[in-house]
């Protein structure tokens, strides 16, 4: 079964290679309904982006609309491709093939709404952006009601909200984008334009001007602006990713790290003792196309604070001194009482004065 073109191919590949892919897909599987939806997706991309895709597959469009069996899908999107026909007689022939009368033509034109007008408008020239890059970030519901995001790079920052809403509404009518047999773009929820410009100043220790950045990267990698990523080897893809990463970022294969952890856990269970020398750090390995970016310098080990020794108790924390006295007997209390009474008598007062004089 021929492989259908994915949304990544249709919305990221350059004009030359994309045209080759569409022609090849139609040759392998001459399904006019599918091919015409590919070309509608290209029109949407051209309408929302600053890239130029004008005139792509015009010969194929004329061939389909002039000779393919009329279907509801072709009848629905036919008005969008009037610019592919320079000869008015051919376009009139197409209208007669797909529509019974002028009322039906107007009805299908009205169904397209403002999207047809926006698709034929010119976008902002790349020179007017002054090196700034933008993307449209949108949220859609699929046929199962699940929400997913979709990003379109090289976006035109001057696109109005009405234009984006109308054009993405047209995209929700396409049935070629599926995941696990579920339609992807069914209902538009949110959409915004973000500035995604990368301001790279230094590359490999050398100062890089913004205008020369692309020119320096392409000869080094041997990749043209319209290069097909599917034709590159895994090593070439990794090299491209390395060049685009900021300084101080290291690539690590997350799948290999998980395998190492699993194998280490298995070895710990099977072997009763583990030598200390086996805990030496291993070098990072890079393989495969799935990689993650992690910062280079390792985290410093945190040392546990030493246990504090108990200090001697201060004077305030010690137990207070208790002066213990033996209780007085009854006889002693009587003697002391008599002595106090004697001091109050005249004789006792005289005796007290005599003791003081001595």
């Amino acid at each position: 079964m021929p492989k259908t073109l994915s949304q990544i191919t249709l919305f990221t590949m350059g004009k030359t290679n994309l045209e080759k892919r569409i022609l090849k897909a139609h040759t392998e599987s001459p399904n006019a309904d599918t091919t015409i939806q590919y070309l509608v997706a290209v029109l949407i991309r051209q309408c929302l982006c600053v890239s130029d895709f004008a005139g792509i597959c015009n010969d194929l469009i004329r061939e389909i609309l002039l000779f393919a069996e009329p279907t509801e899908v072709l009848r629905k999107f036919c008005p969008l491709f009037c610019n592919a026909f320079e000869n008015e007689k051919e376009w009139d022939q197409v209208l007669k093939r797909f529509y019974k009368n002028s009322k039906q033509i107007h009805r299908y034109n009205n169904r397209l709404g403002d999207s047809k007008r926006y698709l034929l408008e010119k976008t902002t020239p790349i020179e007017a952006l002054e090196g700034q890059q933008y993307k449209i970030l949108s949220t859609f519901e699929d046929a199962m009601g699940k929400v997913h995001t979709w990003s379109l790079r090289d976006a035109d920052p001057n696109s109005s909200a009405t234009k984006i809403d109308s054009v993405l509404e047209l995209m929700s009518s396409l049935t070629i984008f599926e995941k696990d047999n579920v339609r992807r773009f069914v209902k538009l929820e949110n959409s915004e334009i973000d500035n995604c410009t990368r301001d790279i100043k230094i590359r490999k220790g050398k100062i890089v001007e913004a205008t020369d950045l692309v020119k320096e990267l392409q000869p080094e990698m041997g990749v043209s602006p319209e290069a097909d990523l599917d034709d590159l080897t895994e090593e070439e893809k990794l090299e491209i990713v390395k060049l685009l990463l900021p300084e101080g970022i290291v690539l690590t294969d997350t799948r290999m790290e998980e395998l190492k952890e699993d194998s280490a856990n298995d070895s710990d269970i099977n072997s009763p003792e583990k030598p200390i020398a086996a805990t030496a750090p291993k070098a990072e390995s890079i393989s495969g196309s799935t990689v993650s970016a992690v910062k280079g310098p390792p985290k410093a080990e945190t040392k546990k604070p030493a246990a504090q020794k108990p200090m001697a108790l201060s004077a305030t924390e010690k137990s207070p001194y208790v002066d213990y006295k033996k209780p007085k007997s009854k006889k002693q209390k009587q003697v002391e009482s008599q002595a106090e009474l004697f001091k109050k008598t005249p004789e006792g007062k005289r005796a007290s004065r005599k003791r003081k004089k001595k």
Side-chain angles (χ1 to χ4, degrees):
M1 183 177 178
K3 184 179 179 181
T4 58
L5 300 183
S6 65
Q7 67 184 62
I8 297 177
T9 301
L10 292 171
F11 292 106
T12 61
M13 189 172 287
K15 179 179 179 180
T16 303
N17 286 331
L18 180 57
E19 187 172 21
K20 293 178 181 178
R21 283 297 185 89
I22 294 175
L23 293 173
K24 181 181 178 182
H26 184 73
T27 302
E28 294 177 352
S29 177
N31 188 325
D33 290 353
T34 301
T35 304
I36 209 69
Q37 290 189 74
Y38 290 157
L39 296 169
V40 172
V42 176
L43 288 179
I44 293 173
R45 181 181 177 186
Q46 180 179 347
C47 173
L48 298 177
C49 298
V50 295
S51 304
D52 182 20
F53 290 89
I56 186 171
C57 297
N58 275 349
D59 293 337
L60 179 60
I61 294 172
R62 288 193 294 269
E63 178 186 343
I64 292 175
L65 297 182
L66 284 172
F67 303 105
E69 184 69 22
T71 62
E72 184 60 28
V73 174
L74 295 178
R75 193 174 289 110
K76 177 181 179 181
F77 296 117
C78 176
L80 300 176
F81 299 99
C82 60
N83 286 352
F85 294 85
E86 297 178 357
N87 192 334
E88 293 184 3
K89 292 182 179 181
E90 288 185 347
W91 179 243
D92 291 337
Q93 184 179 350
V94 170
L95 295 179
K96 291 178 181 179
R97 292 185 71 244
F98 287 97
Y99 309 106
K100 296 180 180 180
N101 48 47
S102 59
K103 281 187 177 181
Q104 195 175 23
I105 294 175
H106 290 304
R107 185 165 66 250
Y108 278 90
N109 269 302
N110 293 335
R111 288 180 182 178
L112 293 173
D114 293 334
S115 59
K116 179 182 177 181
R117 175 171 61 87
Y118 289 126
L119 290 176
L120 301 179
E121 286 183 352
K122 291 184 178 180
T123 56
T124 305
I126 298 179
E127 297 78 12
L129 300 183
E130 298 180 350
Q132 298 294 305
Q133 295 180 353
Y134 301 85
K135 67 178 179 180
I136 295 179
L137 190 64
S138 305
T139 306
F140 285 87
E141 276 189 7
D142 61 11
M144 301 297 292
K146 186 177 180 181
V147 177
H148 63 92
T149 57
W150 173 69
S151 178
L152 180 64
R153 65 183 185 182
D154 295 332
D156 183 0
N158 298 320
S159 298
S160 64
T162 307
K163 176 180 179 179
I164 294 175
D165 179 70
S166 178
V167 174
L168 293 185
E169 190 70 24
L170 175 64
M171 184 173 173
S172 65
S173 64
L174 301 179
T175 60
I176 54 176
F177 301 117
E178 293 184 351
K179 183 177 181 181
D180 299 330
N181 296 324
V182 178
R183 277 187 59 196
R184 298 280 285 164
F185 304 97
V186 175
K187 182 181 178 182
L188 176 65
E189 292 290 336
N190 306 295
S191 187
E192 63 184 34
I193 297 179
D194 296 338
N195 190 325
C196 58
T197 306
R198 297 182 61 192
D199 191 7
I200 299 178
K201 299 298 184 182
I202 300 175
R203 174 71 68 188
K204 294 187 176 181
K206 296 182 180 179
I207 297 176
V208 179
E209 296 294 337
T211 55
D212 299 333
L213 178 61
V214 177
K215 295 180 181 179
E216 291 186 7
L217 290 178
Q218 289 172 357
E220 184 176 357
M221 294 304 303
V223 180
S224 63
E226 297 184 351
D228 187 0
L229 296 179
D230 295 337
D231 297 335
L232 299 178
T233 63
E234 296 295 333
E235 290 74 13
E236 291 173 339
K237 292 178 183 178
L238 284 174
E239 290 300 325
I240 294 176
V241 174
K242 290 179 185 178
L243 287 175
L244 296 178
L245 285 175
E247 297 295 333
I249 300 299
V250 182
L251 287 178
T252 304
D253 192 340
T254 55
R255 298 173 302 173
M256 295 302 296
E257 293 296 330
E258 292 176 357
L259 292 175
K260 289 179 181 179
E261 293 178 0
D262 294 341
S263 60
N265 294 334
D266 295 340
S267 60
D268 291 342
I269 296 174
N270 297 330
S271 58
E273 296 182 356
K274 186 176 181 180
I276 299 176
T279 61
K282 296 182 180 180
E284 295 181 350
S285 60
I286 301 175
S287 63
S289 58
T290 304
V291 292
S292 62
V294 296
K295 293 187 177 181
K299 295 182 180 179
E301 295 182 358
T302 57
K303 295 183 179 180
K304 295 182 179 180
Q308 296 182 355
K309 295 181 180 181
M311 299 176 65
L313 294 174
S314 62
T316 56
E317 292 176 332
K318 293 181 180 180
S319 300
Y321 175 76
V322 179
D323 187 9
Y324 178 78
K325 292 182 179 180
K326 185 178 180 180
K328 297 179 182 180
S329 63
K330 184 177 182 181
K331 184 178 180 179
Q332 186 179 359
K333 290 179 179 180
Q334 290 177 355
V335 172
E336 290 178 355
S337 176
Q338 292 176 359
E340 290 294 330
L341 293 174
F342 177 74
K343 290 179 181 180
K344 295 178 180 180
T345 61
E347 295 179 359
K349 292 180 180 179
R350 287 194 294 269
S352 177
R353 293 193 197 98
K354 291 180 180 179
R355 284 197 297 270
K356 290 182 178 178
K357 288 180 180 179
K358 292 179 179 180

